[in-house]
Amino acid sequence: LLCGTILALFPSSSYEIMRSRPIQRGNSNEAFIQHISTKKKRKLRKRTVTIGKAIIVGALVIYVGTLVILYWCMSSLVEDSKEIIQSNRFLESVTRQNPPTTSQNIKISEQNPFINLAEHTEKHVDFCSTAEPGPIPSFKLEENTQDYLKSKNTRNSPNDLPIFGASQAIRSKSPAVLSQCTMPPPKSCNEDTFSVIFMAYDPKKLQKLYKHSERMIAWPGKKLVEDIIVVWNGEETLNTTNFGMHVLQKDSNPNHPLRIFYSRSKGLGNNLLNRYHPDIKPKTEAIMYYDDDGPFYGQEATVAAFELWKRNSNVQVGAMGRKYFMEPRMMQSRDELLEKAGGLGTKEARTIRVPFCRAPPTSLLNGTEGSSETANGTNNRASGGANGGVNDYLLYDTTYYNFGTNMVLPSGSFLHKNYLCFIWHEAFQEVRDFVVNHPCRPDDVMVSIVVSQLSGLAPLVYSRFINKIKTEKAENSTTRRLTISSPTSPNIEELPSEFNHLEFENYSHTDALHRRLLWNDNDALEWLQLRREAVNSISGYFGSINGGSIGWCFGTEYYKANKYGVKDCIPPCATAGQIPWMKEGGYGYDEC
């Protein structure tokens, strides 16, 4: 356009420029130009104007043509986008009516963990509607059988969650709402530090919290702790005790990693789930959780736990695992899924989901028609029941396990910070309300189950103590015999004799090993029953449970049969140098 405009508007100047150009082929051309007649000069100027106009027209045609082509391309892209959006909306509306059983919805499932979870719940609805009832576990004493049935069919919770309710809760949310959270990566090998979150309520119980936080900061070697957050749920102010003042002083120091998150100032109230609130905003991807009274773990165990989490950052990693004992029908389903996945320890085996078919309250054993179980302990198909009469039950156990654990307790656990968004997402409002209103406030049950349901994976368990074998036998040894037994504490276990010659780091008394229930027998049994109800209610809400964890010793010589013939970690806690993912060539080592 510029060249054509110059030629068309200034032909004489253009001609003069032509004359002023240096002669490249001798003086004959210069003489020829000088003798051009005036008439020829006019023709030359006219021709120059014509060439200029032609150039202008050609340039305009190319310019306009380019604009037309760009407009057509953009219109096509917009139309394609509209079609894709409409197609996705149509697929979503169809899946609400008919749960997908083909690969048509694979892309949606891969991109949205909520939709994936809803699909799995709907899949188990179909399974449970045709599942055949099975026997209950056999007991030597009839009174134990009756106690089991009573425990199984008692529903004391005032707000029992709806069976398979997760699907409806998720499907009722818009795609935009379901896209607010992002799943963690399966590995986070480049993470070097982690955040520590302490839950606290009573200013008189801050001594252990404060001392362990200072101990973690002072650990020798590479820095591990990036920041420490005390989630304060208490009504009292912290300055009423000496250690409360210490915590406040650290919080006011900008160079100290400790800070306080005041739940009540955020309008959250006294809620155990506050420790998982996204507004806490930890600085790192990895979060380690502790209760204010522990138990707390030493540096070696913490490093081993962090390394395990880095290799499995999309699951919950913990030290205190809890097992759900399943009835024969569920055990058979689990064994079939495990065999199909290639056996324990394979990646496929970690992803199995065991269908959990919980009967609605109207079909429970209560002397009315539609009883799901008869006096001899067998199931009958109840008319009109959502599960066709099948009434699965999970027996929550309070012993610590390495293998087969379905959840872990919060203290000492690791979790990716992306899960905070999911735990407080509006799709799980119904479950949070259940936790807040339940008598035993089972936040740990909810978090473990939600994380497991989203990831499709069981939690992983690390050795909560890394023992050091004494090299010299002192005459006045301070090593304690760690055999524990208490009839009033259902979560107290007796440790095997192999522990007698081992020394635990940072522990000088046995009640630091387990959290005791400071209630009498009746209160403890009532608490245990309430915990079992919570486990069954939340599991029934999703319609499945994970297949259970593998222990720290898997793939090592310490994975062997115990006195009952069941393969387990012997000894239950590791000694320095035994952790496989910390040793070159060990199970899980090459993941990072």
Side-chain angles (χ1 to χ4, degrees):
L1 283 172
L2 180 62
C3 292
T5 301
I6 293 172
L7 291 173
L9 298 180
F10 308 103
S12 298
S13 300
S14 302
Y15 174 71
E16 293 299 328
I17 291 172
M18 290 171 58
R19 286 196 59 196
S20 66
R21 292 180 62 189
I23 304 301
Q24 302 292 333
R25 298 179 183 176
N27 296 327
S28 59
N29 287 339
E30 177 65 23
F32 171 76
I33 293 174
Q34 290 175 354
H35 290 86
I36 291 178
S37 64
T38 303
K39 185 177 180 180
K40 288 184 177 181
K41 289 180 181 179
R42 284 198 201 97
K43 287 183 178 180
L44 188 56
R45 282 196 294 270
K46 188 181 290 186
R47 188 179 300 170
T48 303
V49 171
T50 303
I51 293 172
K53 291 179 179 179
I55 292 174
I56 292 173
V57 172
L60 287 173
V61 169
I62 294 172
Y63 181 73
V64 173
T66 303
L67 288 177
V68 171
I69 293 171
L70 286 173
Y71 177 80
W72 179 80
C73 291
M74 294 300 295
S75 299
S76 299
L77 287 173
V78 170
E79 290 299 322
D80 290 344
S81 300
K82 288 180 178 178
E83 289 180 6
I84 291 171
I85 293 171
Q86 291 174 355
S87 175
N88 286 343
R89 287 176 178 172
F90 172 75
L91 266 177
E92 187 180 55
S93 64
V94 170
T95 53
R96 287 181 182 179
Q97 301 295 329
N98 302 299
T101 55
T102 67
S103 60
Q104 294 177 354
N105 206 30
I106 287 179
K107 290 185 178 179
I108 296 178
S109 297
E110 290 175 347
Q111 294 174 357
N112 195 314
F114 284 109
I115 297 297
N116 188 31
L117 195 160
E119 290 174 359
H120 278 287
T121 301
E122 292 154 358
K123 175 183 175 182
H124 293 121
V125 171
D126 294 338
F127 175 88
C128 291
S129 65
T130 59
E132 290 295 328
I136 66 168
S138 59
F139 297 93
K140 292 182 179 180
L141 299 177
E142 177 62 25
E143 61 185 84
N144 291 339
T145 302
Q146 295 304 320
D147 288 342
Y148 178 83
L149 288 174
K150 181 180 178 181
S151 175
K152 174 176 179 175
N153 295 315
T154 299
R155 304 278 176 91
N156 290 325
S157 178
N159 60 332
D160 203 24
L161 286 166
I163 298 169
F164 305 116
S167 174
Q168 183 179 356
I170 291 170
R171 298 293 189 188
S172 66
K173 307 303 176 186
S174 67
V177 171
L178 296 178
S179 301
Q180 293 172 349
C181 303
T182 304
M183 283 294 290
K187 293 189 289 187
S188 299
C189 297
N190 294 327
E191 294 296 313
D192 295 323
T193 58
F194 56 85
S195 302
V196 183
I197 293 180
F198 291 92
M199 170 67 80
Y201 175 84
D202 188 348
K204 301 181 184 67
K205 297 181 179 180
L206 294 175
Q207 180 176 354
K208 292 181 180 179
L209 178 158
Y210 177 78
K211 287 186 175 181
H212 188 68
S213 65
E214 291 295 293
R215 187 184 303 124
M216 295 180 78
I217 296 171
W219 277 342
K222 186 174 67 173
K223 173 185 173 182
L224 289 173
V225 178
E226 186 67 33
D227 62 333
I228 298 171
I229 305 107
V230 177
V231 177
W232 184 248
N233 278 357
E235 295 179 348
E236 296 183 54
T237 57
L238 287 161
N239 59 8
T240 57
T241 64
N242 289 335
F243 281 99
M245 290 295 296
H246 290 327
V247 172
L248 286 172
Q249 290 171 1
K250 300 301 181 183
D251 176 56
S252 62
N253 182 357
N255 297 320
H256 196 278
L258 187 146
R259 60 187 172 92
I260 304 171
F261 178 84
Y262 294 96
S263 301
R264 294 180 182 273
S265 66
K266 300 287 184 179
L268 300 176
N270 182 22
N271 185 348
L272 290 172
L273 289 169
N274 291 344
R275 68 179 110 185
Y276 305 103
H277 201 282
D279 284 351
I280 293 175
K281 297 179 181 178
K283 293 181 180 180
T284 63
E285 303 297 302
I287 307 171
M288 187 179 196
Y289 284 94
Y290 275 120
D291 294 324
D292 57 356
D293 57 350
F296 305 114
Y297 304 128
Q299 183 177 6
E300 290 185 350
T302 303
V303 170
F306 186 38
E307 289 296 325
L308 180 61
W309 176 88
K310 286 163 64 173
R311 290 158 171 79
N312 304 272
S313 57
N314 59 342
V315 306
Q316 190 181 27
V317 174
M320 297 186 289
R322 291 288 189 256
K323 180 183 289 189
Y324 307 155
F325 283 102
M326 296 176 264
E327 292 186 343
R329 189 207 63 74
M330 291 187 69
M331 284 299 297
Q332 182 180 352
S333 294
R334 178 186 178 276
D335 293 343
E336 290 173 355
L337 291 168
L338 194 60
E339 182 179 359
K340 186 177 180 181
L344 190 68
T346 63
K347 290 186 177 180
E348 291 77 12
R350 293 184 58 203
T351 64
I352 67 174
R353 299 174 191 247
V354 184
F356 178 60
C357 307
R358 194 180 193 223
T362 55
S363 65
L364 295 178
L365 181 62
N366 54 12
T368 62
E369 289 188 16
S371 169
S372 64
E373 290 179 349
T374 60
N376 61 6
T378 59
N379 282 319
N380 289 326
R381 190 172 297 279
S383 58
N387 297 335
V390 179
N391 183 25
D392 289 333
Y393 183 67
L394 300 171
L395 193 66
Y396 171 83
D397 188 46
T398 56
T399 306
Y400 300 135
Y401 291 92
N402 281 302
F403 284 85
T405 61
N406 305 100
M407 63 167 284
V408 294
L409 301 184
S411 211
S413 67
F414 274 88
L415 192 67
H416 196 284
K417 74 174 182 179
N418 283 18
Y419 279 123
L420 305 188
C421 174
F422 288 98
I423 293 168
W424 276 87
H425 193 275
E426 63 181 83
F428 295 134
Q429 181 65 51
E430 198 169 24
V431 192
R432 291 198 301 276
D433 290 342
F434 172 84
V435 169
V436 171
N437 295 317
H438 195 275
C440 68
R441 312 290 192 267
D443 69 303
D444 53 346
V445 177
M446 174 198 164
V447 170
S448 268
I449 291 178
V450 165
V451 170
S452 178
Q453 290 289 333
L454 289 167
S455 66
L457 300 167
L460 289 175
V461 179
Y462 68 92
S463 177
R464 57 191 179 276
F465 302 112
I466 306 295
N467 306 307
K468 296 179 181 179
I469 299 179
K470 295 178 70 66
T471 55
E472 296 181 3
K473 207 168 186 180
E475 186 173 353
N476 297 320
S477 175
T478 59
T479 304
R480 295 177 178 268
R481 179 178 177 84
L482 296 175
T483 54
I484 308 167
S485 179
S486 172
T488 61
S489 302
N491 65 333
I492 299 299
E493 59 185 328
E494 181 173 344
L495 299 181
S497 58
E498 290 93 322
F499 282 76
N500 295 345
H501 68 289
L502 300 177
E503 183 177 24
F504 286 79
E505 182 182 65
N506 298 329
Y507 288 86
S508 60
H509 50 83
T510 56
D511 62 349
L513 184 61
H514 300 288
R515 298 184 65 187
R516 296 179 181 272
L517 296 175
L518 303 178
W519 303 335
N520 59 38
D521 289 345
N522 292 332
D523 288 337
L525 290 174
E526 182 182 354
W527 173 88
L528 182 59
Q529 176 60 31
L530 289 170
R531 293 278 291 178
R532 288 172 175 170
E533 286 183 29
V535 166
N536 281 272
S537 186
I538 299 176
S539 298
Y541 185 74
F542 293 100
S544 64
I545 66 170
N546 60 67
S549 67
I550 57 173
W552 66 264
C553 64
F554 186 80
T556 72
E557 61 185 295
Y558 311 104
Y559 179 48
K560 50 191 175 183
N562 59 21
K563 62 181 180 180
Y564 302 106
V566 179
K567 296 194 76 173
D568 201 349
C569 296
I570 307 295
C573 291
T575 301
Q578 293 180 350
I579 303 297
W581 60 88
M582 303 281 285
K583 295 168 56 178
E584 187 173 359
Y587 183 80
Y589 176 84
D590 293 333
E591 294 296 324
C592 280

